[in-house]
Amino acid sequence: MRDLTALTERIEAARRIVVFTGAGMSTESGLADFRSSRGHWKRYDPLAMASVEALQSGSHAFYDFYRMRIEALQGVAPNRGHRVLARWEEEGRLLAVVTQNVDRLHQTAGSRNVIELHGNLREVFCTGCGRREPSTLLLERTDCPSCGGRLRPAVVLFGELLPEGAFAEAERLTEACDLFLVLGSSLTVSPANAFPALAKASGASLIIVNKGGTPYDGRADWVIDGAIGETLADVDEQLSRQG
Ligand code: APR
């Protein structure tokens, strides 16, 4: 087991941790991320698959891409990393989880204060009347059962603004935290990738756990180039030993 003593002590001492997660949080649950060697954007063009223009074009590629991801969500479960975070929230260690992920595995694992910056793929809504439905409906149809309008995933597409309330709440929490813990994000997509710098500017420590580098590694207090599940499980074990 790696020596995570210093990291564990920092987490133990923190009183207001904000955890910031990206797609790397869910790969150990079997979901692909976007930019690692097996990520979605290594196989698909993000603008052709996940942009407002792609939605408006009603392209088959757009709907096939999201149907593939909705099917991938069926039957996946939170991994040990999600479960550790849910318990740390229960133990009063975390202010919140701010996530870029749309799989809702944090909530399924029991995390209650989860800020979704990019919406969620568990729901779709009608672009005409706004009716919301479970996203599995998109596996059957793309027209709204109520008004015949076009159904779309409840995720933020490239070219769209992030949900105002979620962004403001994430900003407030990031400014209030004493430790900002990044888990599994390449930190390459704005505006979500501005939060680590905001945390540092607000006086918090910055820890990044990610396989592979990020543009913020130079400003982090700790960088762990390793698997999230194993790292969180090791830290959690040391925390419980400290009692
Ligand atoms: N442990 C640690 N790191 C991991 C693991 C793991 N088990 N699995 C993957 N990673 C790392 C990858 O190496 C990669 O650096 O997680 C990072 C995930 O980065 P991205 O694939 O870019 O995902 P993310 O940062 O969440 O992307 C942000 O981009 O396309 C949009 O809307 C999409 O929310 C997404 C946003």
Side-chain angles (χ1 to χ4, degrees), residues 22-23 27-28 34-35 41 100 118 185-186 189 210-211 226 228:
T27 55
E28 293 172 54
F34 294 94
R35 295 173 183 82
W41 302 149
Q100 300 171 95
H118 293 164
S185 179
S186 62
V189 173
N210 197 63
K211 280 182 187 168
I228 294 163

Side-chain angles (χ1 to χ4, degrees), residues 32-44:
D33 62 17
F34 294 94
R35 295 173 183 82
S36 70
S37 53
R38 285 178 293 170
H40 290 305
W41 302 149
K42 292 290 184 260
R43 298 165 61 200
Y44 303 105

Side-chain angles (χ1 to χ4, degrees), residues 124-167:
V124 293
F125 66 85
C126 174
T127 53
C129 68
R131 174 173 167 169
R132 286 180 100 88
E133 288 290 342
S135 56
T136 44
L137 180 64
L138 206 65
L139 304 180
E140 298 159 30
R141 58 193 298 171
T142 57
D143 60 317
C144 172
S146 297
C147 75
R150 177 173 295 171
L151 294 175
R152 59 159 288 173
V155 299
V156 176
L157 298 172
F158 285 111
E160 289 184 313
L161 295 176
L162 272 59
E164 215 172 301
F167 192 84

Side-chain angles (χ1 to χ4, degrees), residues 2 28 209-212 224-231:
R2 291 158 298 167
E28 293 172 54
V209 181
N210 197 63
K211 280 182 187 168
I224 293 177
D225 186 342
I228 294 163
E230 179 190 12
T231 302

Side-chain angles (χ1 to χ4, degrees), residues 45-60:
D45 167 10
L47 296 183
M49 299 297 163
S51 66
V52 186
E53 293 73 19
L55 166 70
Q56 287 164 348
S57 74
S59 71
H60 290 301

